[in-house]
């Protein structure tokens, strides 16, 4: 037996916070947001936008450039960010280059 999600492409959000719009363009209203690593199912593509449904069932349009193919990280050590923001540095030293900021709820793979 197949489910509807089996026929959809599974991608992940590749930006800290990505806007999900009501229509395929930034001129339409904001429907929701997704965070880095969120898995989304793509059901349609129009211009440079993909129609997605998130795991918590929000649906809308997200810029295609903000999505990457999902990979199996089931054997990887992961953690979920529990603070409002978490700085990520290039080395284990607060004086090293800051690479990005993760937001609360982001699921991160520990390398």
């Amino acid at each position: 037996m197949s489910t509807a999600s089996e026929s959809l492409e599974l991608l992940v959000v590749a930006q800290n916070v990505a806007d999900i719009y009501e229509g395929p363009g930034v001129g339409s209203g904001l429907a929701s947001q997704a965070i880095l690593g969120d898995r989304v199912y793509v059901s349609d593509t129009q211009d440079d936008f993909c129609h997605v449904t998130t795991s918590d069932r929000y649906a809308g349009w997200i810029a295609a450039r903000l999505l990457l193919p999902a990979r199996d990280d089931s054997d990887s050590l992961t953690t979920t960010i529990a603070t409002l923001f978490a700085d990520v540095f290039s080395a284990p030293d607060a004086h090293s280059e800051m690479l990005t900021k993760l937001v609360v709820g982001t699921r991160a793979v520990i390398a």
Side-chain angles (χ1 to χ4, degrees):
M1 172 183 240
S2 66
T3 62
S5 63
E6 288 177 355
S7 63
L8 304 175
E9 183 179 13
L10 177 63
L11 299 176
V12 294
V13 175
Q15 179 168 305
N16 294 0
V17 179
D19 291 335
I20 299 175
Y21 297 97
E22 294 172 351
V26 295
S28 62
L30 186 63
S32 186
Q33 291 181 315
I35 58 176
L36 181 69
D38 277 353
R39 293 172 180 262
V40 296
Y41 287 98
V42 177
S43 59
D44 192 14
T45 302
Q46 188 175 331
D47 299 322
D48 294 327
F49 281 81
C50 296
H51 186 269
V52 300
T53 302
T54 65
S55 60
D56 52 357
R57 301 189 191 270
Y58 284 96
W61 295 85
I62 189 168
R65 65 181 172 74
L66 303 180
L67 302 173
L68 292 174
R71 68 175 198 201
D72 181 12
D73 58 11
S74 59
D75 288 338
S76 301
L77 178 62
T78 63
T79 189
T80 302
I81 304 303
T83 60
L84 191 56
F85 297 103
D87 297 337
V88 178
F89 294 94
S90 61
D93 175 2
H95 299 291
S96 63
E97 177 188 6
M98 185 173 72
L99 301 174
T100 191
K101 285 182 178 277
L102 301 178
V103 297
V104 67
T106 299
R107 193 175 123 262
V109 175
I110 308 299

